[in-house]
Amino acid sequence: MSIVIGLTGGIGSGKSTVAEIIESYNYKVIKSDLNAKDVMQNDKTVKAKIIEAFGKSAYFDDGKLNSQYISSIVFANVDENLENLQKLNQIVHPVVIQKLMDEVQQLESAGEQLIFVESALIYEAELNEGFDYIILVTASKENVIERLSSSRNMSAEQIESVMKTQISNEEKIGVADFVIDNNSDFEKLKESVDFIIAVLSGIA
């Protein structure tokens, strides 16, 4: 019997780094955020719906997704663009969720004991009930802004706009099974991951 674990956290929390640590131990991690990008780029039905909803500027002439344009219409001003974000999610989420379920089923059939699903929006998309356990990665607002300013060249305003569209850490902490505080160094982060994996392996 497989155990399916959700791995989530807000923008800049470090959940992708946690996913990399987990993968380094040869556990399978399904990356929903990458799946969403893949669907938006390659699913013809999804592309047609996005163009219909947001115009031809959503894609470049060569057919590649114009990520900067999409970000500008869903994150630039939270109050004005919340409707756009909801519209985009309604187009993309059902396809991504189906893809996720198919991948989980394949890994269960292959006999994987622990299956991890990395997704920024587990709670926002109300997917939490579909997991056996959820790991939440958190970081302070100051650390998030510092990390993303250097790694993605985002401004504090851009980062805060994205953060406003996500459920707060305080709310998520109350409902997550495991919480990783990622406000220290990599070694501390790895220790936290090792502890949780040891606990989950004992359950499995």
Side-chain angles (χ1 to χ4, degrees):
M1 185 73 178
S2 302
I3 294 175
V4 184
I5 305 114
L7 171 61
T8 194
I11 184 172
S13 61
K15 69 177 171 53
S16 295
T17 305
V18 171
E20 287 169 12
I21 295 169
I22 292 168
E23 283 182 315
S24 75
Y25 297 141
N26 294 320
Y27 290 105
K28 300 295 181 186
V29 180
I30 298 167
K31 299 183 178 179
S32 296
D33 303 342
L34 286 181
N35 280 353
K37 286 175 187 171
D38 179 59
V39 162
M40 290 168 74
Q41 181 61 64
N42 299 309
D43 187 298
K44 288 180 182 176
T45 305
V46 168
K47 285 178 84 167
K49 287 180 180 177
I50 288 174
I51 291 167
E52 186 183 344
F54 306 114
K56 290 182 180 177
S57 299
Y59 292 87
F60 293 111
D61 291 340
D62 62 2
K64 286 185 179 173
L65 180 71
N66 187 344
S67 302
Q68 199 169 358
Y69 172 75
I70 293 291
S71 293
S72 74
I73 60 172
V74 298
F75 294 129
N77 183 308
V78 174
D79 296 326
E80 287 177 18
N81 295 332
L82 185 59
E83 192 180 329
N84 285 337
L85 179 60
Q86 289 170 340
K87 216 184 281 184
L88 181 66
N89 287 342
Q90 283 166 3
I91 294 168
V92 177
H93 279 177
V95 184
V96 173
I97 291 165
Q98 186 56 57
K99 194 172 179 181
L100 159 66
M101 289 167 65
D102 292 344
E103 287 186 62
V104 167
Q105 204 168 30
Q106 286 168 8
L107 291 172
E108 284 178 334
S109 299
E112 293 289 339
Q113 284 193 307
L114 299 180
I115 301 166
F116 295 84
V117 177
E118 179 195 354
S119 174
L121 303 175
I122 284 175
Y123 290 108
E124 288 80 356
E126 299 181 349
L127 299 176
N128 41 303
E129 294 299 325
F131 295 97
D132 297 306
Y133 298 95
I134 293 179
I135 301 168
L136 171 67
V137 186
T138 67
S140 69
K141 186 176 174 181
E142 294 73 25
N143 278 337
V144 167
I145 290 172
E146 188 182 325
R147 286 170 192 163
L148 294 178
S149 298
S150 57
S151 67
R152 296 193 205 173
N153 201 27
M154 292 175 73
S155 68
E157 291 76 19
Q158 287 174 314
I159 296 162
E160 287 183 29
S161 286
V162 177
M163 289 174 83
K164 282 177 187 172
T165 68
Q166 300 179 338
I167 296 170
S168 71
N169 282 335
E170 289 72 27
E171 290 177 79
K172 291 177 184 174
I173 285 168
V175 287
D177 298 291
F178 302 95
V179 179
I180 295 175
D181 182 314
N182 186 23
N183 286 304
S184 189
D185 57 19
F186 181 78
E187 284 309 311
K188 286 282 183 192
L189 181 64
K190 191 170 176 298
E191 280 175 21
S192 299
V193 176
D194 289 353
F195 173 79
I196 292 170
I197 285 180
V199 172
L200 291 170
S201 297
I203 296 167

